[in-house]
Amino acid sequence: MTTILQSSIPYDVSDLRRLPAVQPLDMADWLIEDDAFAGQMALRDQLLAERREAVLAMDESVRPAAEELLDMVLERVYPGAGARVIRRDGVEVEIDRDAPLLTLGRLVQEDFNLLDKVGDEHVLKGSVLCFPAGWTLAEKFMKPMVRIHQPVAVYDENVAARVQRLFDGVQPDRPLWRFNALWYTRPELFLPRSETDKRHKVSPELASYLRSERQSILRLPKTRVVVFSIHTFVMARGAVTGSPELSTVA
């Protein structure tokens, strides 16, 4: 696939904080459109056409939430949209309300995950995930938060409890955000990996790309479902300012 890179990241990736490391987010900054828009959207279109089962899943119980999210994104990015919209890259997208997550995946660069509370935990019940980094949607779909984060060693009981409190407490129009950042040896955006695959770390000097996800947590006002959105940045090492001390992934 074509290498798709950004020229900058709108935050300091060296400013890593203790997990879960969240900050308030202005709703005006919820969705980002950057210089990789055309390339990322073309890849999203391709994945949704050719690998749909790998990047899209929805339980019918969250269909109202997916429809609410679609309306919210349209209102913010494509106000006044009718049956179709024209993206900034010139591509015409049909607004298919029978497939709200599929449509969302073709409108903006963000991946979207819908988490609904079941018992004491939020469960992943809907997702359009075109740019996974080290996980697969099939293994996480319909699983609660603690199970979703296997085999992440730092996601212990203490972190899990704090994250659950965040999901319980987040309010409409008052989203939160955090980011991660890792050095990668590969620039691909679609990087699924099974939980059973062995994780490899390599020397930082062998990693030529910085990958960072800006993740936001938002509660939908009507359905009250939580939206976890991900905007993915990938930069060539030479374009990164400074030398962030980050972990490395093969």
Side-chain angles (χ1 to χ4, degrees), residues 88-109:
R88 182 169 62 83
D89 58 356
V91 174
E92 183 179 85
V93 178
E94 178 187 358
I95 306 303
D96 185 355
R97 295 189 176 276
D98 291 330
L101 289 180
L102 171 64
T103 302
L104 279 162
R106 300 194 62 211
L107 292 178
V108 292
Q109 289 173 260

Side-chain angles (χ1 to χ4, degrees), residues 65 113-117 122-123 126 166-170 216-220 223-229:
N113 301 281
L114 299 176
L115 294 111
D116 197 16
K117 187 129 185 225
H122 280 76
V123 174
L166 288 173
F167 275 63
D168 287 340
V170 67
S216 68
I217 305 169
L218 170 73
R219 185 178 301 281
L220 296 171
T223 59
R224 308 291 294 177
V225 168
V226 172
V227 179
F228 183 80
S229 62

Side-chain angles (χ1 to χ4, degrees), residues 53-57 113 124 127-129 135-141:
E53 74 290 343
V55 300
L56 186 68
N113 301 281
L124 179 62
S127 180
V128 53
L129 180 72
W135 59 292
T136 63
L137 179 56
E139 291 179 340
K140 311 299 184 181
F141 182 57

Side-chain angles (χ1 to χ4, degrees), residues 139-151:
E139 291 179 340
K140 311 299 184 181
F141 182 57
M142 298 302 290
K143 300 296 192 303
M145 290 291 291
V146 170
R147 176 63 181 78
I148 287 171
H149 284 87
Q150 291 183 7

Side-chain angles (χ1 to χ4, degrees), residues 10-27:
Y11 46 83
D12 180 3
V13 295
S14 66
D15 184 25
L16 294 174
R17 307 182 181 196
R18 189 169 66 97
L19 290 174
V22 297
Q23 306 172 60
L25 176 65
D26 191 316
M27 276 299 297

Side-chain angles (χ1 to χ4, degrees), residues 129-180:
L129 180 72
C130 293
F131 302 153
W135 59 292
T136 63
L137 179 56
E139 291 179 340
K140 311 299 184 181
F141 182 57
M142 298 302 290
K143 300 296 192 303
M145 290 291 291
V146 170
R147 176 63 181 78
I148 287 171
H149 284 87
Q150 291 183 7
V152 181
V154 296
Y155 198 87
D156 56 20
E157 290 185 3
N158 180 44
V159 172
R162 284 187 281 150
V163 170
Q164 186 56 55
R165 286 195 294 270
L166 288 173
F167 275 63
D168 287 340
V170 67
Q171 297 301 312
D173 295 319
R174 293 169 59 191
L176 304 168
W177 78 283
R178 67 176 302 274
F179 72 89
N180 60 28

